[in-house]
């Protein structure tokens, strides 16, 4: 049977929280790996101990309602747990869904590593629709305060994350970026005329990017552009503060945060099962998921180093690193008849950063 005491000790050594909170987090992690859902009524059935299901459910509610989550401490622990030195490629994106008539809208910054985003900083938006500049700068300022601008190799973002004020903020902090640009954005061409951005790339071959070596003026700034036509007739146009020889290869890493969202939702912890509507409570839940996700990912990295999986015809392994780790943790917390003590000790050691 799972040795929950060793998990509690490891968490206590690495997170400066009181014992009652640590005991709760340990039980939450084990229940989450077993049930793979954030539905509180289901998680309550899987909490270890002698407490009744109703008591566990109230305990879950109380934690999400009352605990003053030390997000900075958790972010530092997650990056330390990942064990990869900076500077980091970051991806900024937003995911949203509805609970009844209420929009749940999350703006998240992740470190992209081995094809997937590692959740580090997020805010829950109390609105539907796109983020604004103040919300994006808030997320970036939290990261910069914790890790410094020297630990940002490049920031990646989709078409939502453009704008003069936002770009000036990034340039002021000397943050390199690759953002996708709306095709109709006005930019100055080589003859000094302002044209829609897509016109600079309308003669490119399908999926063959053109990188313009000279800076072009837009929004009163000198910025660098690259772009190409896509098969569906759309354009992939990228903008950056500095010249980059292969910007599209860098931008391709942005897909890592989409993979993260899938892992938090239908391909992992079923975040959309939550009935939580309060932004702060949802943010606390995300903090627990970020810890659970990163531990599973680190366990998957270890497993990949022990046994390399054969690649399938499409060039990818049959299981992602995250899912390999998640499956190992799930087996450990549910296989009571043949509990593997050696593997449990290893995954506990992987969780320790002290």
């Amino acid at each position: 049977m799972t040795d929950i005491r060793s998990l509690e000790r490891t968490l206590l050594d690495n997170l400066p929280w009181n014992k009652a909170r640590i005991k709760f987090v340990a039980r939450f992690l084990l229940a989450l790996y077993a049930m793979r859902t954030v539905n509180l009524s289901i998680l309550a059935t899987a909490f270890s101990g002698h407490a009744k299901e109703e008591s566990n459910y109230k305990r879950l509610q109380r934690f999400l309602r009352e605990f003053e989550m030390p997000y900075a401490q958790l972010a530092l622990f997650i990056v330390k747990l990942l064990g990869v030195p900076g500077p980091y490629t970051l991806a900024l994106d937003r995911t949203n869904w509805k609970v009844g008539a209420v929009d749940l809208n999350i703006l998240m910054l992740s470190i992209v590593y081995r094809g997937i985003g590692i959740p580090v900083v997020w805010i829950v938006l109390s609105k539907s629709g796109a983020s604004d500049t103040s919300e994006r700068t808030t997320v970036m300022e939290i990261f910069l305060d914790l890790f410094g601008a020297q630990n940002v190799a490049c920031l990646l973002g989709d078409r939502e994350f453009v704008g003069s004020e936002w770009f000036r903020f990034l340039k002021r902090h000397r943050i390199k970026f690759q953002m996708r640009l709306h095709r109709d954005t006005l930019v100055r061409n080589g003859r000094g005329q302002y044209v829609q951005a897509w016109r600079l790339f309308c003669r490119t071959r399908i999926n063959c990017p053109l990188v313009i070596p000279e800076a072009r003026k837009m929004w009163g700034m000198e910025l660098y552009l690259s772009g190409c036509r896509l098969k569906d007739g759309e354009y992939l146009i990228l903008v950056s503060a500095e010249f980059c020889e292969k910007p599209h290869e860098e931008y391709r890493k942005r897909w890592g945060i989409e993979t993260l969202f899938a892992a938090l939702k239908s391909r992992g912890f079923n975040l959309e099962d939550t009935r939580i509507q309060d932004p702060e409570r949802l943010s606390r839940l995300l903090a627990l998921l970020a810890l659970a996700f990163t531990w599973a990912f680190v366990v998957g990295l270890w497993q990949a180093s022990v046994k390399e999986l054969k690649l399938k015809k499409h060039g990818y392994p049959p299981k992602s690193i995250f899912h390999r780790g998640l499956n190992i943790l799930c087996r450990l917390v549910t296989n009571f008849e043949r509990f593997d003590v050696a593997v449990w000790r290893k995954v506990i050691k992987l969780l320790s950063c002290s």
Side-chain angles (χ1 to χ4, degrees):
M1 193 171 179
T2 308
D3 175 16
I4 196 169
R5 297 289 179 267
S6 60
L7 176 56
E8 291 173 359
R9 287 193 298 270
T10 301
L11 290 172
L12 198 58
D13 288 342
N14 290 278
L15 290 170
W17 303 352
N18 66 49
K19 288 185 178 180
R21 298 305 185 192
I22 289 295
K23 288 180 72 173
F24 171 85
V25 172
R27 282 155 179 76
F28 180 93
L29 291 173
L30 298 183
L32 181 65
Y33 291 135
M35 310 309 291
R36 300 197 188 193
T37 180
V38 298
N39 184 293
L40 299 188
S41 60
I42 295 176
L43 285 175
T45 66
F47 259 48
S48 62
H50 300 292
K52 293 181 179 179
E53 182 182 326
E54 294 82 0
S55 298
N56 290 331
Y57 183 74
K58 289 178 181 178
R59 191 177 179 187
L60 283 158
Q61 289 182 313
R62 192 162 53 248
F63 181 93
L64 297 176
R65 183 176 63 247
E66 299 174 358
F67 184 45
E68 292 296 325
M69 180 66 70
Y71 294 103
Q73 293 175 355
L74 188 62
L76 290 167
F77 178 49
I78 284 172
V79 173
K80 199 173 180 182
L81 179 59
L82 181 62
V84 178
Y88 304 106
T89 296
L90 306 178
L92 182 65
D93 206 355
R94 187 174 54 83
T95 185
N96 65 283
W97 70 98
K98 277 183 175 287
V99 173
V102 177
D103 288 280
L104 300 183
N105 202 356
I106 299 165
L107 179 64
M108 182 170 285
L109 183 70
S110 71
I111 292 172
V112 179
Y113 180 66
R114 297 287 293 266
I116 197 166
I118 308 300
V120 181
V121 181
W122 57 87
I123 57 175
V124 179
L125 308 178
S126 302
K127 64 177 186 180
S128 60
S131 63
D132 59 34
T133 301
S134 65
E135 291 158 347
R136 299 166 203 162
T137 54
T138 295
V139 168
M140 280 306 302
E141 284 170 344
I142 293 171
F143 184 90
L144 295 176
D145 287 344
L146 290 173
F147 304 104
Q150 74 278 6
N151 274 314
V152 183
C154 188
L155 174 65
L156 310 175
D158 207 346
R159 284 169 288 197
E160 176 179 329
F161 304 100
V162 297
S164 58
E165 188 181 347
W166 169 235
F167 283 178
R168 285 191 175 90
F169 168 84
L170 295 176
K171 291 187 74 172
R172 188 164 63 250
H173 288 84
R174 298 182 179 179
I175 297 173
K176 296 179 181 179
F177 60 85
Q178 291 290 344
M179 303 290 178
R180 187 173 179 181
L181 197 64
H182 292 282
R183 57 176 284 163
D184 57 356
T185 304
L186 293 179
V187 302
R188 186 175 285 177
N189 65 15
R191 296 186 295 275
Q193 302 168 322
Y194 279 96
V195 299
Q196 292 184 345
W198 69 271
R199 293 189 177 276
L200 302 180
F201 308 102
C202 60
R203 296 188 180 183
T204 59
R205 296 171 59 188
I206 301 295
N207 294 327
C208 293
L210 168 65
V211 181
I212 299 176
E214 306 87 12
R216 296 296 170 87
K217 198 158 191 174
M218 55 181 291
W219 294 324
M221 289 175 280
E222 297 290 328
L223 298 168
Y224 290 85
L225 297 171
S226 62
C228 67
R229 291 188 298 144
L230 304 177
K231 285 183 179 180
D232 61 3
E234 262 290 351
Y235 286 84
L236 177 57
I237 303 170
L238 302 181
V239 58
S240 58
E242 298 180 12
F243 176 77
C244 178
E245 289 187 357
K246 297 180 179 180
H248 287 245
E249 289 187 11
E250 185 71 19
Y251 183 75
R252 194 174 292 122
K253 298 175 185 176
R254 193 199 71 83
W255 191 252
I257 195 167
E258 302 286 359
T259 308
L260 166 63
F261 287 150
L264 294 178
K265 292 181 177 180
S266 59
R267 296 183 182 178
F269 299 131
N270 288 290
L271 178 56
E272 290 175 319
D273 286 352
T274 184
R275 310 309 297 171
I276 296 171
Q277 299 179 4
D278 178 77
E280 186 54 41
R281 296 180 194 183
L282 180 59
S283 186
R284 292 181 184 117
L285 178 62
L286 281 168
L288 297 175
L289 294 189
L291 177 57
F293 172 88
T294 308
W295 188 19
F297 180 77
V298 170
V299 172
L301 284 176
W302 161 67
Q303 186 65 14
S305 69
V306 172
K307 183 180 180 182
E308 195 76 31
L309 289 179
K310 272 190 173 183
L311 299 181
K312 302 195 85 173
K313 290 182 179 179
H314 49 53
Y316 294 95
K319 291 179 183 176
S320 70
I321 290 172
F322 163 70
H323 277 99
R324 292 182 75 176
L326 180 61
N327 289 344
I328 288 171
L329 288 164
C330 180
R331 285 198 301 272
L332 282 169
V333 302
T334 57
N335 193 348
F336 301 116
E337 292 183 1
R338 300 184 62 183
F339 177 62
D340 196 325
V341 177
V343 174
W344 177 251
R345 288 174 178 168
K346 178 62 181 179
V347 301
I348 288 292
K349 187 177 180 180
L350 291 170
L351 182 62
S352 176
C353 298
S354 55

